């Protein structure tokens, strides 16, 4: 058999063992189980090919980006306008430092959440949809982390003005912990539990 033909018969995500063994699906995990959400699992349970899965994942990521971008744009606009208010001239050095850090964090968050648009333009019609999905996923996850920092910083800035500093820091820390648990810890625990249960 021609080598080129033999390679073409193997899917992009498949691999072979030594000795010419049959290809192993990218969605298979140790012990013969298919990893949930992998190409093999999606092919079996959804009837999706790898590229169809990439298209669906990309559309889901776009929906999530729209939700996150709206909140970031409003917060970024608020922070930009805050420095032009008369009250800003009387802020303390601590409040000014928190403002600068929060503003930079907001700008970084905006960059992370808009990066997928630029990446899609650069990679448009290049046949790299699966790589694009991975890039968008990483940008969105990083953007969520910096978004937490931005929201916590904005809260600390406002609370430090209306409350005593120790109370402001305590309340802000509690809100930050709530964000981390709700956005990251609970979903991460659920994912680990599914893996341990063989899901």
């Amino acid at each position: 058999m021609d080598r080129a033909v033999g390679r073409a018969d193997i899917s992009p995500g498949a691999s072979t063992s030594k000795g010419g063994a049959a290809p192993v699906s990218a969605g298979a995990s140790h012990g013969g189980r298919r990893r949930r959400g992998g190409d093999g699992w999606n092919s079996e349970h959804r009837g999706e090919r790898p590229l169809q899965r990439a298209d669906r994942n990309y559309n889901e990521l776009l929906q999530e980006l729209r939700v996150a971008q709206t909140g970031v744009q409003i917060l970024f606009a608020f922070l930009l306008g805050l420095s032009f208010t008369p009250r800003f001239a009387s802020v303390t050095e601590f409040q000014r430092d928190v403002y600068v850090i929060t503003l930079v964090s907001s700008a970084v968050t905006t960059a992370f959440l808009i990066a997928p648009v630029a990446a899609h333009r650069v990679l448009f019609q290049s046949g790299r949809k699966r790589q694009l999905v991975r890039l968008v996923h990483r940008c969105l996850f990083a953007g969520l982390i910096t978004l937490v920092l931005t929201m916590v910083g904005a809260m600390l800035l406002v609370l430090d003005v209306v409350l005593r500093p120790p109370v402001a820091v305590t309340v802000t820390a509690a809100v930050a912990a709530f964000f981390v648990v709700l956005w990251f810890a609970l979903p991460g625990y659920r994912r680990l539990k599914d893996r341990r249960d063989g899901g």
Side-chain angles (χ1 to χ4, degrees):
M1 178 182 291
D2 182 63
R3 290 183 179 180
V5 175
R7 289 176 181 174
D9 290 339
I10 301 175
S11 63
S15 61
T16 57
S17 60
K18 294 181 180 180
V24 179
S25 170
S29 62
H30 297 292
R33 291 178 178 174
R34 293 185 186 275
R35 179 175 58 85
R36 179 177 294 178
D39 286 336
W41 187 91
N42 277 276
S43 177
E44 180 179 342
H45 294 274
R46 294 178 182 268
E48 286 181 332
R49 294 181 179 180
L51 287 179
Q52 290 174 324
R53 177 193 174 207
D55 289 334
R56 176 177 59 81
N57 287 343
Y58 186 71
N59 289 330
E60 290 175 354
L61 286 167
L62 287 181
Q63 296 298 327
E64 295 170 8
L65 280 170
R66 290 189 183 101
V67 174
Q69 282 176 345
T70 302
V72 171
Q73 289 168 353
I74 294 173
L75 188 55
F76 193 37
F78 162 75
L79 291 170
L80 286 175
L82 189 62
S83 61
F84 297 101
T85 60
R87 179 73 181 272
F88 190 80
S90 62
V91 298
T92 65
E93 184 177 352
F94 172 76
Q95 292 168 350
R96 185 177 288 106
D97 291 342
V98 171
Y99 171 78
V100 171
I101 294 172
T102 304
L103 183 64
V104 171
S105 178
S106 178
V108 171
T109 303
T110 302
F112 274 130
L113 298 184
I114 295 181
V117 177
H120 185 260
R121 285 299 90 205
V122 173
L123 297 175
F124 184 65
Q125 292 187 343
S126 65
R128 297 183 178 274
K129 177 59 75 66
R130 300 177 74 184
Q131 292 87 339
L132 178 63
V133 167
R134 286 193 291 270
L135 175 62
V136 173
H137 163 70
R138 290 167 183 163
C139 285
L140 179 53
F141 194 82
L144 289 175
I145 294 174
T146 54
L147 178 56
V148 170
L149 296 176
T150 302
M151 298 184 72
V152 168
M155 278 207 61
L156 180 58
L157 181 63
V158 173
L159 291 177
D160 192 66
V161 173
V162 300
L163 299 173
R164 291 176 298 169
V167 178
V169 171
T170 302
V171 173
T172 302
V175 172
F178 178 73
F179 270 113
V180 170
V181 169
L182 189 63
W183 286 13
F184 304 108
L186 287 180
Y189 170 76
R190 180 72 262 177
R191 185 168 186 168
L192 285 175
K193 191 172 185 303
D194 286 346
R195 285 182 176 177
R196 290 172 181 172
D197 293 343

